[in-house]
Amino acid sequence: MKKNIGQKPFYTSHQGHPDDICPLTLTSATQELFGCRYDGDVTRDNPYKILRKEDILQDLRNRAAVSDFSPVKQLVLAYPEDELLLVYDRDFIYGSSFYLVLTVEGKDRHLMPIVAEVGEEALEREPSDVFAAQKTPEPRPWISLGSEQEIEEESVTDSRPRLKCRISRVRRAFGAPVFFSDRNAAETKDGFIECTPYQDKIFSLKQMERHCGVQAIPNCNSSSTQTPWTYPKNMCTQYEPREFSKEEKENCLQSEELKHFISLAVSRLEVAIQQNEIADVFFDDWKALSEDDGGYAGKADSHLKEYQSFTDLHFSQEKTISNISWHPTISGVIAVAMTERLSFEDRINASTKLLLNPSLILFWSFSDPINPQLLLECPDDVFSFEFCPSDPNIIVGSCMNGQVVLWDISAHVERLQGTRSNTRDNETSVVRYCAVSSIEHGHKAPVTDIQWLPETFEVSRMGVPMENKSGMCVQIVTCAPDCCLMFWDIRAPRVAFQNMADQRKQKVEEKPLENPDGVPNTFKHLNLTWKPLFRVCPRLVNIPAIHSPNWGLNGSQTPNLFSDNLFFLPQDGELVYTDWKLEKDDSGRLFSVKPSHRFTIHDGLVNTVRRSPFFKDIVLTVGGWTFAIWKEGVMNGPIIHSSCSQRKCTVGYWSQSRPAVFYIGKEDGNLEVWDLLEKTHEPSQTQNITTAPITCIKPWIISSKQHLLAVSDHLGTLHILEIPWTLRSPCSNEKLSVNKYFEKEVDRLVYFDKRREMRTKEKKNMDAEELRKKMVRQRSQISKWILIIICLVGTYSVVKYIPGKLYFFLTYLD
């Protein structure tokens, strides 16, 4: 019995499969990551896939126990070569869809075209019997058994000569014109033919049975295995390059033929080089054309896939996630802020219990989806936190009691990276905050948002932006519903001038800092004494909740040109655009300027303001039952405003790879994906993520082939979704197309405002004209009555009246 190599094993062990292979079950995510999707990358005819050993070890480091290769980790490490063979087992011979070859001999045996025999009977056969070719049966002579008589009886023969009919026409009628006329179809027999719209069963008879004679004869074919030999030709194969010798090269370079050829080709070569500079001749038009077709996956690859989920039975119980943030440098690590799921009244009643259970920020890693890797202890519930852009080990957070907190996790970086060799440290480390701001000088309401100022600039005490020469992020901005915006500086305050005696006295009194809890001394100069650098309280702004400043350069590379404009979001759904710089009045007192623009667009509390990562002047706001897209500098209103949805919008975020895509979270747990190039009046797709309201959305790019989307809900569960190819790969010229769409919307908004002003002016003119006509009619009517009175009473000499009233004053003549 023969077996094909790769479809069935060469030999089997006592466990049911060979000793040098290991059956594996690979998930769809692993198959796409390694390019071994069944019936796509590997098939029944081509079941082999070569995997690099380094790629498997990298997957084990990233996902650890979650990796599908974790059962064979030691065997992969012991494999001597750099490439392993993965075989697709379509028939599930060994119980799984794949099996991995763990020896070099097994790999060579699978890849070499050798036909093996299985069993003792096959081993006893001779090679000639095994490889004996099958002979084609030869036809035997015909032997009559009487069947030809039955065929002759069933055949139809003519019993009489066939009738012949001849139809002719006189010659003079050839080519004569034809005249048509009307006639009554009912007067003549068979005068009309009915054309029914259905098939008539009378004329659609099916033949169910038929008697016929069949005779089987051998089928003969003429074929050849060689190609037709048209004409003889000498063929050869060259295995090594043939080069000129040094003498031949010199003779060729000095020859007149080469010089003549170069002089003729110089002009054409210059033209070709100029054309190559104008247009890219190596541009693949076919590949660019295929981008608009949706890629290789088509419509089946348009939904978000759940990649991982994180929750803890102890720390996530009866809590919600208020904010999430990916670690900037360590791949696969994400931090979430847990807050109590209580109302204001319930929080007051349970204040004693809350003091015993401190608030925490959990660090989750893909390598261990069950236990959090790190816990950050907070003085109160944290609504927002951010990693420092210049130093990811520094974290700043905003608390519900109005304080600002700083952490330093430098000592726990190895644990987050998964490189710590100490296996005894299995418990989750708790990190206490390094510094906390002063309650007296902080916000008087919960701090709802916090942002780092970039390392390119800083703000003075007067609110004037200036260049940051240190190149490090040293300032923070916070906002709260107490009508204040505060700027903080993490650097040590400047010490006033002291004489030598005071300095010596201070050095003598200094004692070593006691640190029993192991808290780093990074911000010891700020703990409990930290005050804001300055505060901004915009006038006519009622309780701002969230802000989104335009950090960085304002469309220029000049270091001294910064944008100092800011968006405020009051709790009543308004959007306020103002300037944070402080000005002086006549008495020299500092005050905040009046907001330049106010818009009432949303029908509820605005919870999100996000700038597009591709267009710095495009802003997305989400609040109530609607969302809006604004263009900074266009103060006529939003360029795009959605219609009211059936469910509240809780959060929104732009895509990090496609300019036309953004995500909207709803209170019913649905996630809407909006694609402005596909649809603008409704989401391109809606997918249910959870049963609770969605609280936060944060995308992250792992690699060019893997984009993730973190989505948190009100029940304290963090969902990690994998973004499909259609939502992460931009179309050709997508940014240019979206920019043109925004410009058209701006033109439409400007045109609409001009038409509204024109209509208002026309209405004002029409009302003025109507009022003038009414006054004229009243005056003419009054004049008529005056004339009548004068005619009737001739003894009065003066008649006076007040316009618009029916009172007359008459004077008598003596």
Side-chain angles (χ1 to χ4, degrees):
M1 181 178 64
K2 300 180 181 179
K3 294 192 175 182
N4 295 329
I5 298 299
Q7 295 182 357
K8 293 185 179 180
F10 191 74
Y11 65 96
T12 57
S13 65
H14 298 289
Q15 288 81 7
H17 61 79
D19 296 333
D20 56 352
I21 70 170
C22 182
L24 292 176
T25 300
L26 304 182
T27 60
S28 59
T30 304
Q31 294 177 18
E32 184 175 358
L33 183 62
F34 286 90
C36 56
R37 294 171 300 176
Y38 56 85
D39 293 337
D41 298 327
V42 291
T43 59
R44 182 190 294 272
D45 298 332
N46 186 19
Y48 305 115
K49 181 67 178 180
I50 300 297
L51 304 181
R52 295 178 65 249
K53 181 179 178 180
E54 181 62 26
D55 295 342
I56 299 177
L57 298 179
Q58 183 64 28
D59 183 68
L60 290 171
R61 286 192 293 268
N62 291 338
R63 298 193 293 177
V66 185
S67 175
D68 297 333
F69 294 97
S70 58
V72 294
K73 178 179 181 181
Q74 299 299 329
L75 298 175
V76 172
L77 290 174
Y79 191 78
E81 294 186 355
D82 295 335
E83 294 180 347
L84 288 86
L85 179 64
L86 181 70
V87 183
Y88 172 46
D89 191 359
R90 181 181 177 89
D91 298 329
F92 288 87
I93 298 175
Y94 303 123
S96 298
S97 57
F98 294 91
Y99 62 85
L100 188 67
V101 182
L102 302 175
T103 61
V104 181
E105 294 78 7
K107 174 183 173 182
D108 297 337
R109 186 180 67 251
H110 280 75
L111 296 178
M112 292 178 62
I114 302 174
V115 179
E117 293 290 341
V118 180
E120 296 179 357
E121 297 179 358
L123 293 175
E124 294 176 357
R125 295 181 184 177
E126 295 182 358
S128 59
D129 298 335
V130 176
F131 297 99
Q134 296 182 359
K135 297 181 179 180
T136 304
E138 298 179 356
R140 292 176 294 177
W142 168 259
I143 300 175
S144 176
L145 298 178
S147 59
E148 66 276 6
Q149 298 179 0
E150 297 179 0
I151 296 175
E152 292 177 358
E153 292 176 359
E154 294 291 339
S155 61
V156 179
T157 57
D158 296 337
S159 59
R160 59 174 176 78
R162 297 185 180 185
L163 299 178
K164 296 182 180 179
C165 181
R166 181 179 180 183
I167 300 175
S168 62
R169 189 179 184 184
V170 294
R171 187 175 183 82
R172 65 174 176 272
F174 289 168
V178 180
F179 298 97
F180 297 95
S181 61
D182 299 335
R183 64 181 177 88
N184 191 358
E187 295 178 356
T188 59
K189 186 179 181 181
D190 298 334
F192 66 94
I193 299 176
E194 183 181 6
C195 298
T196 57
Y198 54 87
Q199 187 177 6
D200 194 350
K201 296 182 179 180
I202 299 176
F203 301 98
S204 59
L205 301 177
K206 296 182 180 180
Q207 186 177 4
M208 303 300 295
E209 186 176 356
R210 182 179 181 182
H211 295 279
C212 61
V214 179
Q215 182 179 3
I217 61 173
N219 189 11
C220 299
N221 259 342
S222 298
S223 60
S224 60
T225 57
Q226 298 295 332
T227 56
W229 189 19
T230 56
Y231 61 91
K233 178 189 275 188
N234 296 327
M235 301 295 293
C236 63
T237 303
Q238 183 179 354
Y239 292 94
E240 294 181 357
R242 185 172 57 185
E243 298 181 355
F244 288 159
S245 62
K246 293 182 179 181
E247 297 178 357
E248 292 176 346
K249 290 180 180 179
E250 293 178 358
N251 296 332
C252 181
L253 293 175
Q254 296 177 1
S255 62
E256 295 295 333
E257 296 179 357
L258 181 61
K259 294 179 181 180
H260 180 67
F261 168 74
I262 292 176
S263 61
L264 294 177
V266 164
S267 59
R268 289 183 293 175
L269 182 62
E270 290 177 352
V271 174
I273 293 175
Q274 292 176 1
Q275 292 178 353
N276 293 344
E277 290 292 333
I278 297 173
D280 186 9
V281 297
F282 299 103
F283 183 73
D284 191 353
D285 296 323
W286 180 260
K287 183 178 180 181
L289 182 64
S290 64
E291 290 180 359
D292 297 334
D293 298 336
Y296 59 86
K299 296 183 179 180
D301 193 28
S302 61
H303 293 280
L304 300 168
K305 301 177 183 178
E306 178 126 9
Y307 184 78
Q308 189 64 266
S309 62
F310 300 97
T311 186
D312 191 89
L313 299 178
H314 177 67
F315 300 114
S316 303
Q317 188 176 8
E318 300 297 332
K319 291 187 178 182
T320 183
I321 298 177
S322 60
N323 193 17
I324 57 180
S325 182
W326 293 87
H327 197 284
T329 57
I330 303 177
S331 179
V333 175
I334 186 171
V336 296
M338 309 301 299
T339 58
E340 295 290 341
R341 197 165 60 242
L342 298 174
S343 62
F344 181 74
E345 297 176 354
D346 296 338
R347 188 178 291 273
I348 294 176
N349 297 330
S351 58
T352 306
K353 182 180 178 181
L354 296 178
L355 292 175
L356 299 177
N357 298 326
S359 301
L360 298 173
I361 295 179
L362 310 182
F363 279 76
W364 293 101
S365 177
F366 290 166
S367 61
D368 188 3
I370 300 176
N371 302 315
Q373 301 299 308
L374 198 64
L375 301 177
L376 301 186
E377 186 177 347
C378 314
D380 204 348
D381 285 349
V382 174
F383 283 167
S384 179
F385 68 95
E386 290 291 337
F387 290 90
C388 180
S390 56
D391 187 2
N393 297 327
I394 304 301
I395 304 173
V396 63
S398 59
C399 297
M400 186 177 181
N401 59 2
Q403 290 181 301
V404 181
V405 192
L406 287 169
W407 292 273
D408 187 359
I409 60 172
S410 302
H412 305 275
V413 175
E414 294 182 358
R415 182 180 181 88
L416 295 178
Q417 293 177 347
T419 58
R420 177 173 293 182
S421 59
N422 188 7
T423 58
R424 295 177 298 176
D425 190 8
N426 294 326
E427 297 182 358
T428 305
S429 302
V430 180
V431 180
R432 184 176 173 83
Y433 49 86
C434 299
V436 63
S437 64
S438 174
I439 297 180
E440 294 81 6
H441 300 88
H443 288 282
K444 307 303 179 184
V447 185
T448 54
D449 200 0
I450 189 169
Q451 295 286 337
W452 286 90
L453 269 69
E455 63 274 3
T456 56
F457 76 99
E458 58 180 326
V459 181
S460 65
R461 293 184 178 273
M462 294 294 295
V464 179
M466 61 182 62
E467 183 181 1
N468 184 7
K469 297 181 180 180
S470 63
M472 300 288 291
C473 296
V474 293
Q475 290 185 348
I476 304 164
V477 59
T478 60
C479 72
D482 58 353
C483 303
C484 287
L485 176 76
M486 295 187 181
F487 286 79
W488 307 75
D489 199 317
I490 64 175
R491 292 173 292 189
R494 295 180 180 179
V495 182
F497 177 75
Q498 297 178 353
N499 53 19
M500 298 297 294
D502 294 340
Q503 291 181 3
R504 294 193 192 98
K505 184 178 179 181
Q506 183 179 1
K507 290 182 180 180
V508 172
E509 292 178 356
E510 285 182 355
K511 297 181 180 180
L513 185 64
E514 297 181 0
N515 191 5
D517 297 332
V519 179
N521 298 326
T522 310
F523 303 103
K524 63 179 180 179
H525 57 278
L526 299 177
N527 193 20
L528 298 177
T529 59
W530 196 11
K531 300 179 182 179
L533 186 66
F534 74 96
R535 65 181 63 199
V536 180
C537 299
R539 296 182 295 173
L540 301 180
V541 178
N542 186 13
I543 313 178
I546 303 176
H547 71 283
S548 177
N550 185 9
W551 302 139
L553 299 175
N554 188 12
S556 174
Q557 296 299 326
T558 306
N560 56 356
L561 294 180
F562 300 98
S563 176
D564 51 5
N565 294 324
L566 189 68
F567 283 100
F568 279 96
L569 300 178
Q571 287 186 347
D572 52 0
E574 284 185 320
L575 182 69
V576 179
Y577 189 73
T578 185
D579 193 342
W580 74 57
K581 287 194 302 185
L582 301 178
E583 296 184 359
K584 293 183 179 180
D585 54 9
D586 297 337
S587 61
R589 186 178 179 182
L590 297 176
F591 70 96
S592 301
V593 297
K594 182 180 178 181
S596 58
H597 295 84
R598 300 180 66 181
F599 307 95
T600 304
I601 296 297
H602 298 283
D603 48 4
L605 175 65
V606 181
N607 50 64
T608 301
V609 173
R610 295 289 177 189
R611 289 187 180 271
S612 173
F614 301 94
F615 309 99
K616 297 304 180 183
D617 56 347
I618 299 297
V619 180
L620 171 66
T621 60
V622 180
W625 284 264
T626 61
F627 69 86
I629 296 179
W630 309 74
K631 185 177 179 64
E632 194 170 4
V634 179
M635 295 305 171
N636 300 333
I639 58 176
I640 299 176
H641 189 206
S642 68
S643 59
C644 292
S645 59
Q646 298 180 355
R647 298 290 182 179
K648 276 188 176 182
C649 302
T650 57
V651 68
Y653 215 99
W654 290 95
S655 173
Q656 300 299 301
S657 57
R658 290 196 57 189
V661 175
F662 57 91
Y663 307 95
I664 301 295
K666 294 301 190 70
E667 66 174 352
D668 57 353
N670 289 339
L671 183 67
E672 293 183 350
V673 181
W674 288 78
D675 191 347
L676 298 179
L677 295 182
E678 182 179 353
K679 298 178 183 178
T680 58
H681 65 286
E682 63 179 1
S684 59
Q685 68 180 50
T686 302
Q687 187 170 345
N688 183 262
I689 306 300
T690 177
T691 57
I694 295 177
T695 57
C696 299
I697 298 175
K698 197 68 174 291
W700 189 253
I701 299 177
I702 300 294
S703 63
S704 60
K705 296 184 179 180
Q706 189 176 26
H707 294 197
L708 300 180
L709 183 68
V711 179
S712 62
D713 58 12
H714 194 63
L715 299 179
T717 304
L718 177 64
H719 305 269
I720 306 297
L721 308 176
E722 190 171 3
I723 301 177
W725 186 90
T726 55
L727 297 180
R728 70 172 184 259
S729 297
C731 304
S732 58
N733 300 327
E734 179 173 343
K735 185 177 180 180
L736 181 61
S737 302
V738 176
N739 189 24
K740 290 182 179 180
Y741 172 70
F742 288 153
E743 291 177 356
K744 290 182 180 179
E745 291 298 319
V746 171
D747 296 339
R748 178 194 61 81
L749 187 62
V750 173
Y751 173 77
F752 178 78
D753 289 344
K754 289 182 179 179
R755 294 288 297 177
R756 182 167 53 186
E757 293 176 0
M758 186 179 65
R759 294 300 182 188
T760 303
K761 187 176 180 180
E762 291 179 355
K763 184 178 180 182
K764 186 177 180 180
N765 296 335
M766 291 176 61
D767 293 343
E769 183 68 19
E770 186 68 23
L771 181 61
R772 189 185 64 80
K773 292 181 179 180
K774 183 177 180 182
M775 295 294 295
V776 170
R777 287 196 300 268
Q778 290 180 357
R779 289 179 181 179
S780 62
Q781 188 175 6
I782 291 172
S783 300
K784 290 180 181 179
W785 281 103
I786 291 174
L787 292 175
I788 293 172
I789 292 173
I790 291 175
C791 293
L792 293 177
V793 184
T795 58
Y796 300 105
S797 61
V798 180
V799 179
K800 296 182 180 180
Y801 71 94
I802 301 176
K805 298 182 185 260
L806 297 178
Y807 297 101
F808 299 91
F809 298 91
L810 306 178
T811 59
Y812 286 95
L813 288 174
D814 295 335

